[in-house]
Amino acid sequence: MRIIKDTARVRVPATSATLGASLARIGMAHDLWNETTLRLTTGKARVKILGEGGHNAPVAEQHLTVRTMQYCLEKLGLPVAGMELGCTNFIPRECGLGEQSAEIVAGLLLVKAIVDEPEKLTNQVLLQLAANLVPLDAGIVSAIAGGTNLWWEKSLEPEKTADLTEVSLDGKEIAGQIISLPVAASLVTTILVPDSALQNVENMERQSLRLAQDLANLRAGVGKQAGNDDALAGEEIGVQVRGRHSSVEQKRAMEQVIGQVNRSSLLTYALTVAPQYLLEATEEAEALAKMQAQYPQSVQLLQALRKAGWPAVFSGTGNAILVFAAIDEVLGKRLKEQGFKVFASTQVSGAQILA
């Protein structure tokens, strides 16, 4: 393998490495992207960042994309040259949307883009390279594979790893399974990112009553639109689901379902077959209570959303909120008044080589 190009350009999506604090093995890619350009040079690495993170950029040699590229080139027996990176970042930082995973995956893809045998750097090989740098999680997996994925890592005997992620590099091997989830066609997501410059307690208290009423009214409308799909899924357990107004029979039936499967299994079912169960599948009151002191504004909003019937969770371990529903203009305006940026998202493919 040898280097045949001195320039490349890639883009990598934002990700949720967990869908809620207690669901650590399901990841999702989102329609927010960082784009990185590369030019091989001589001398020290140089990095220019536009957008998110540009005001607080690390020293170039410590940038995760630079470090990832240097590591990969060395392990592949290729010369470690100087480099110039241009980063145009749209993924918000330090809020649970995988900006560090995006930087690592950008480095992996830039190496793949400049070599003469890119087909040898399969997703499995890229994951193994990443695993030698950082602990793998569903965020890195989803940034590479795209979509929504189940991921777990386990130790197996060598002869039993043929169908798993198995590449020997740096004396370390991983045996991990990736399952891409075909999410329901009707599933849409919205990302809410706190804007600290706009948030204050007085503002949130002033808006809270009006927001709560908007949430309830808008969710009732969503429930009416989704009535047909809800009824079809309800037949599977002998009840009909009517928007957010759960009947006693439905609650009892759901308690039985939850008693038969764990929370991750219910979430998998809700994501792929029956999105109307997402509210129950993402319940994590205990985890929210623990996060109250760290993220008071986000916890307050998340609790208000869920109380009004909106399925919503924290993205990863940060304070961005992932809502499994569309946010219309009225509610979007209210959320912005409370200091939250609103990003509509769709299911997207994984990281891409653009040039």
Side-chain angles (χ1 to χ4, degrees):
M1 187 178 293
R2 59 192 181 90
I3 296 174
I4 60 171
K5 293 174 59 179
D6 59 8
T7 62
R9 181 164 59 98
V10 303
R11 70 171 190 160
V12 185
T15 55
S16 297
T18 65
L19 303 185
S22 59
L23 300 168
R25 294 299 185 181
I26 301 180
M28 178 180 289
H30 303 296
D31 195 15
L32 278 171
W33 301 81
N34 283 358
E35 186 171 307
T36 306
T37 60
L38 165 72
R39 185 169 73 90
L40 295 181
T41 62
T42 58
K44 293 183 178 181
R46 294 185 290 274
V47 178
K48 181 179 180 180
I49 299 175
L50 299 176
E52 297 285 345
H55 65 287
N56 191 27
V59 176
E61 294 291 341
Q62 296 301 314
H63 193 279
L64 282 174
T65 302
V66 173
R67 292 168 58 190
T68 300
M69 286 197 66
Q70 290 173 339
Y71 171 82
C72 293
L73 291 170
E74 180 182 348
K75 292 306 169 185
L76 296 172
L78 299 172
V80 181
M83 63 187 73
E84 290 182 356
L85 295 181
C87 306
T88 304
N89 296 342
F90 291 97
I91 301 175
R93 300 190 67 82
E94 298 180 355
C95 64
L97 289 172
E99 77 280 359
Q100 292 187 346
S101 295
E103 290 174 0
I104 292 170
V105 173
L108 297 172
L109 237 64
L110 286 169
V111 171
K112 182 174 181 176
I114 62 175
V115 299
D116 64 338
E117 297 176 295
E119 68 280 359
K120 290 186 177 181
L121 297 181
T122 63
N123 283 355
Q124 288 76 14
V125 172
L126 297 182
L127 285 171
Q128 179 64 75
L129 288 164
N132 287 321
L133 288 167
V134 295
L136 278 187
D137 61 25
I140 291 177
V141 169
S142 294
I144 292 175
T148 300
N149 301 275
L150 285 172
W151 155 261
W152 64 94
E153 184 178 347
K154 58 183 178 179
S155 297
L156 294 176
E157 295 298 324
E159 63 271 21
K160 296 180 181 179
T161 62
D163 295 328
L164 305 178
T165 303
E166 182 190 8
V167 181
S168 179
L169 289 169
D170 203 25
K172 178 179 178 181
E173 293 184 356
I174 61 169
Q177 185 73 52
I178 305 168
I179 298 178
S180 294
L181 299 179
V183 300
S186 60
L187 182 67
V188 295
T189 55
T190 304
I191 301 167
L192 309 179
V193 178
D195 187 340
S196 58
L198 298 177
Q199 287 189 341
N200 61 75
V201 174
E202 181 182 354
N203 184 46
M204 292 195 70
E205 290 177 346
R206 185 169 61 249
Q207 299 291 338
S208 59
L209 291 176
R210 183 168 55 174
L211 175 63
Q213 186 59 52
D214 287 339
L215 288 170
N217 292 341
L218 289 167
R219 188 58 185 168
V222 172
K224 291 178 182 179
Q225 294 176 5
N228 291 337
D229 292 340
D230 290 347
L232 289 174
E235 292 175 1
E236 297 178 7
I237 56 173
V239 298
Q240 277 197 341
V241 181
R242 298 295 185 186
R244 73 178 186 90
H245 301 289
S246 301
S247 65
V248 174
E249 291 79 7
Q250 183 205 350
K251 287 184 176 295
R252 289 174 179 170
M254 284 307 306
E255 288 173 357
Q256 294 175 0
V257 172
I258 294 172
Q260 295 170 359
V261 296
N262 61 37
R263 189 72 63 185
S264 293
S265 297
L266 181 58
L267 179 58
T268 301
Y269 178 69
L271 288 169
T272 57
V273 178
Q276 64 274 8
Y277 294 150
L278 281 166
L279 185 63
E280 290 83 356
T282 54
E283 178 61 44
E284 49 179 5
E286 183 177 344
L288 288 184
K290 294 179 180 179
M291 301 174 78
Q292 175 67 45
Q294 187 176 8
Y295 304 129
Q297 290 91 349
S298 290
V299 169
Q300 181 179 341
L301 176 58
L302 185 52
Q303 290 173 332
L305 285 163
R306 295 188 61 81
K307 184 177 180 180
W310 295 77
V313 296
F314 277 121
S315 173
T317 57
N319 58 355
I321 296 172
L322 180 61
V323 184
F324 295 101
I327 298 294
D328 73 1
E329 184 176 353
V330 174
L331 180 53
K333 182 179 179 180
R334 295 283 187 267
L335 292 169
K336 290 176 183 178
E337 289 172 351
Q338 290 215 164
F340 286 85
K341 299 176 183 178
V342 181
F343 300 94
S345 182
T346 58
Q347 288 287 294
V348 297
S349 60
Q352 303 164 7
I353 297 174
L354 302 177

